[in-house]
Amino acid sequence: MIGTGTVSPSADRTASSYWVETDGVKLLMDCGAGTMHRCAQFRIPWHQATHVAITHFHQDHWGELPMFLFAGRWGTLPARTAPLTLIGPVGFRNRLMVLAGAVGDWLLDPGYPLETREIAPGATMDLARGVTLEACKTPHTAESLAYGVRAGGTRLVYTGDTGPDDALGRWAKGCDLLVAECSLPDGQGISIHLTPTQAGALARAAGANRLVLTHFYPQIEGTDPAGVARRAFKGDVVAAHDGDRFTIGS
Ligand SMILES: [Zn+2]
Ligand SMILES: [Zn+2]
């Protein structure tokens, strides 16, 4: 858990960013502000990333992507030569081209091979031998996705940003670890974000083994989101902090 915060600046949480390592894959999911410094702090080998997957186009989820790409060329010794695959929702390529027009053509040609791919809701993409990425639409923005990673008979699901959604629960069925956004406390829920009770209900619908709550706005700080979510979900529940690490499988 690189960054468990939101767009709201926090002394303790940077914006959305998650690191997933499994056989042949080092995947960064979302790249919000603070990602790079947190990677350094937590000694995460960001320069060895094989894939970056962006859930949606809110700035707390991809605002630091240009910095990430630039750092691969100028921020690490030796400079990166290994290929990198960028993955995002439909419209991602066009966004990158427009962004390159502002920050510079290096964005799409950073000095190492860069591939950009778009993933449609419901689609599955091979990341490496035996490792797949799956996408599911979430009710948040027009393009917003949740991602699932399957490897070695295990499944990780990250909701990205989402509101309550029965279809998402069905899609997440049987995940070992559910990383769910938990933006706002019960009583302050809105249609495009989850409260602890709603995150718990999602984990229950999915039959998850473990629920890790993240994406905390200031309004929920100082409450007990894990305790509240536990009333709706009987499995293991953790309210994540930046730097937490979880292992799935053996
Ligand atoms: Zn967000
Ligand atoms: Zn968002």
Side-chain angles (χ1 to χ4, degrees):
M1 316 295 285
I2 299 172
T4 60
T6 65
V7 63
S8 195
S10 158
D12 305 309
R13 303 183 191 279
T14 57
S16 302
S17 186
Y18 306 91
W19 182 257
V20 183
E21 276 194 31
T22 187
D23 289 342
V25 169
K26 290 185 171 71
L27 165 67
L28 180 69
M29 291 199 295
D30 283 338
C31 191
T35 296
M36 304 305 301
H37 287 78
R38 282 297 206 211
C39 281
Q41 181 183 353
F42 302 142
R43 303 197 186 292
I44 291 165
W46 61 272
H47 49 283
Q48 296 171 6
T50 56
H51 302 78
V52 178
I54 301 297
T55 57
H56 66 293
F57 302 136
H58 278 159
Q59 285 301 289
D60 56 319
H61 294 257
W62 81 310
E64 200 155 303
L65 184 61
M67 175 76 164
F68 182 93
L69 298 172
F70 200 55
R73 176 73 176 86
W74 302 106
T76 182
L77 283 173
R80 182 186 180 108
T81 54
L84 178 69
T85 302
L86 303 183
I87 303 161
V90 173
F92 186 49
R93 274 203 192 94
N94 190 51
R95 293 264 181 166
L96 287 172
M97 281 197 302
V98 172
L99 191 57
V103 303
D105 291 341
W106 59 264
L107 188 82
L108 296 171
D109 185 14
Y112 45 90
L114 190 69
E115 183 189 11
T116 58
R117 300 184 68 177
E118 297 184 349
I119 185 165
T124 297
M125 184 182 283
D126 288 335
L127 299 185
R129 206 180 158 86
V131 184
T132 56
L133 183 77
E134 310 159 313
C136 178
K137 184 72 192 77
T138 67
H140 181 70
T141 61
E143 77 287 354
S144 58
L145 299 174
Y147 285 132
V149 180
R150 286 188 194 270
T154 65
R155 188 175 187 217
L156 163 73
V157 167
Y158 163 47
T159 63
D161 284 1
T162 187
D165 188 41
D166 291 344
L168 180 61
R170 287 193 295 275
W171 175 82
K173 203 82 192 166
C175 63
D176 297 279
L177 183 65
L178 175 64
V179 178
E181 77 121 284
C182 186
S183 295
L184 299 164
D186 281 32
Q188 296 183 34
I190 55 176
S191 64
I192 60 166
H193 282 302
L194 297 180
T195 65
T197 294
Q198 290 166 340
L202 179 66
R204 188 180 63 222
N209 283 339
R210 269 190 297 175
L211 171 62
V212 174
L213 303 173
T214 185
H215 199 269
F216 299 116
Y217 272 99
Q219 295 92 311
I220 202 168
E221 301 286 10
T223 70
D224 178 18
V228 176
R230 262 181 223 116
R231 288 185 220 138
F233 173 63
K234 297 304 168 210
D236 196 21
V237 184
V238 177
H241 296 92
D242 291 16
D244 284 353
R245 290 166 192 254
F246 300 92
T247 302
I248 307 172
S250 50

